[in-house]
Amino acid sequence: MALAHELLRSGFPYYMTLGQRRVTSNPVDIGFGKENVYVLTKGGLGTEVRVINWEDENLGVLGGTDLFQWPAALLVDSEENLIVSDEAKHTVVTMDKDGNHLETWGVKGDGEGELDRPSGMSFDSEGNIVLSDTMNNRVQRFTRSGEHLQTIGVGDLDSPWGVAVDQLDNVYVVDWKNDRIVKYSRDGDLVMTLGSSGSGKGEFNRPSSVAVDNHGDIYVCDRQNNRVQLFNKEGKYIQSFHGNASLSKSGQTYILANAVTLRLRAMSDVEKTQLLDVPMTIRVDDDFRLFITDFGNHRIQIYKKDAIELSQDQIAPEMRNPILFTT
Amino acid sequence: MGSNDLALKAHLLRRAGFGASRGELEEIAKNGYEEIVEDLIHPERFEDLDEDYIRRYNPELSYHDGFQNHAGRWIWRMINTKRPLEEKMALFWHHVFATAYYKSEHVPTLIAQIETFRNNGLSNIKKVLNDLAKDPAMNYWLDNCENHSDQPNENWGRELLELFSMGVGNYSEDDIKNASRAFTGWTFEQPHPLYPFGHFASSFIFDEDDHDGSEKTFLGKTGNFNGEDIVEIICEQPATAKFICRHLYTFFVEDEPQVHTWSIEEPRNPEAIDEMIKVFMETDGDIRSILRFVFNSDFFKDAWYKKVKNPTELVAGTIKLTGMYDVIPKEGEALGTLYGSASVMGQALMNPPTVEGWHTGSEWIDGGTLNERVNFAVNQFDDVSTPGFKDILSRLGDQVKSDDLVGRCLDLIGPIEVGNETHAALSSYADAVGDLDLSTDQARTENAVKIARMIQLIVSTREYQFA
């Protein structure tokens, strides 16, 4: 599918918040089924997949530390099987939507097809898994059952984390310790790098995740700057998301039932609670919704892009210089 | 200067830091003693610790439920930092200004307090006390948020004088009342509640409408004092100089009687305390200057093994010898374990028993805690594959004569000096294992456990309990 020539970016407003502490505690990734939302959690309040729905109701947990210890990423396939990468056991685990264990593959090592702390994952257009092999400083492509297909990024990367694959099967890798995103073609050729160290626009502080939507827009989870940055398909900075959360439905229900909590919230500054706190992973869907796992706040913040696709004849050609005389 | 010089520098690193592996010690010891002291008291000369990996693989550090992992991260910092005195000073002030989790259960403010100690620990007493008075964790711990202009609460005012600056017997009840009035309106921003999104940070607020701005008389001075004025007056007092210097002495030089006895128990080394007080008064309570004087003094250099290691020192120092809990965490390493290990020995960091803090020195040791201390240290050398043990093994060379085994091992994990009785016991084990061949991989593998046993015997000695 061809990408739009340009976008009229109307805005990217806040959409909703899902989850709360003790339900979606410490979320590290999110995936979607036909009706359910799967939230991968990691930490002292639970290492598991939490199942909720769009009404923010808690439907229970799947998996757990017997299957994965340091889960990093979650994929949900068309049959709603759940695939989890585990950095502690150096494996990729698959279970069905009821939590039944289907398959585990992955062996620790640095040889072809071996893994050392597998982290970020994304499907390619054929349903293969593109996987960050963090401590081996590379990305590998595997079939669903773990057969090695390709190695990408050798010599370029330092402790890669998140990965994304766009419609054209280009691979975007979070080059974590180098504070940048590296884009590779389907064949593994380096196409573009994006970002550098810092806290300004287009700069990153240990980014953790990357996503690409169907417009080719690139989203970077700038973890230690507590924000998500949006770039267009050429890598031009568009805007940042610092957080604008409201109460989730489950959070509102909890607070309304607790008089002291209600009073303390009334005494405090709401603005602080809206911000992102160590966002971990971002995902975008076909409806141009952006999902941010707001790890430190135990919730998912969701935003929805409002943009109109433009053809080449609708918009003036690119200008080399800025101008002050505008209409 | 030979091995004695190395041993003196090891003594300095045990006291001003948390000890050193042999490799670290030899690297640092390339500098002269006074130069090492200057490096220690100027932590900014060294890069701060890279926390990227520890935070990536310990996501618990990115939220604020439970303090144990955060306390464990602190010990991890002690193990890995190139700025050991920065962490040691944070621990020192945590001893003096003991603030516990169990009252507030609010982790962000506890973490912020330790960070404040890390940042201001080597500054001057006035800054330290002013920062403390504005610290939300302390404010709540000692009820100053309940200290209102029309209804004073004297808890903070009392402890500021009794436990944090001057000590009992150096002020009156009226001084406590008036100091407390000066701190009315010193409170903190209400943080959002734990549910539904976890804890949020707080910060100091001065509520002028709740402040008693009327005239007060404090330690003989009269004025419309605010909290900063009280701190200013406190810092001018010789009693404050003596109290803080005594704390520094007992933490860095030699175990003193417990703090609560200081109004009746004189210092063990009054001349040393007097010299420290002189530096304190000459520098307006500059902690860096006092420590420079202490570390270069003869009384410090002669104070080997005059302190029982606190549990945190024992845990951090022993782990440093093993090379575990490195900058890149290994699978299975849990920061909470570091906290838990010190906790069962009697020192739950960030959760001291009372505002008086921990009783130190020989009171660290009882039947239960000694057992925990010895078991912990011994267990760390059960594994002969740790980087630290492998380093010790490689430094022993190809052959170790039975007669040399005790001395070589004592040297490599210290240098440590032991008494005759201990030496004899260690030697009897060395005699039993005989000469050891370490010249081939196979021989090293076969004999590694025998070396590890010797190390385990050493870390379970009485002498290893002392710094």
Side-chain angles (χ1 to χ4, degrees), chain B residues 409-448:
Chain B
C409 288
L410 285 171
D411 186 54
L412 286 174
I413 67 163
I416 295 176
E417 288 182 358
V418 296
N420 292 338
E421 198 177 339
T422 301
H423 203 283
L426 297 173
S427 295
S428 64
Y429 171 75
D431 292 344
V433 299
D435 297 345
L436 295 174
D437 177 16
L438 303 173
S439 61
T440 64
D441 287 346
Q442 189 183 346
R444 261 195 301 279
T445 302
E446 285 171 8
N447 287 322

Side-chain angles (χ1 to χ4, degrees), chain B residues 24-43:
Chain B
E24 277 179 302
L25 176 61
E26 290 182 357
E27 186 60 33
I28 292 168
K30 288 175 183 170
N31 291 328
Y33 183 91
E34 289 182 18
E35 205 175 339
I36 298 171
V37 170
E38 289 304 307
D39 280 347
L40 287 165
I41 65 175
H42 289 286

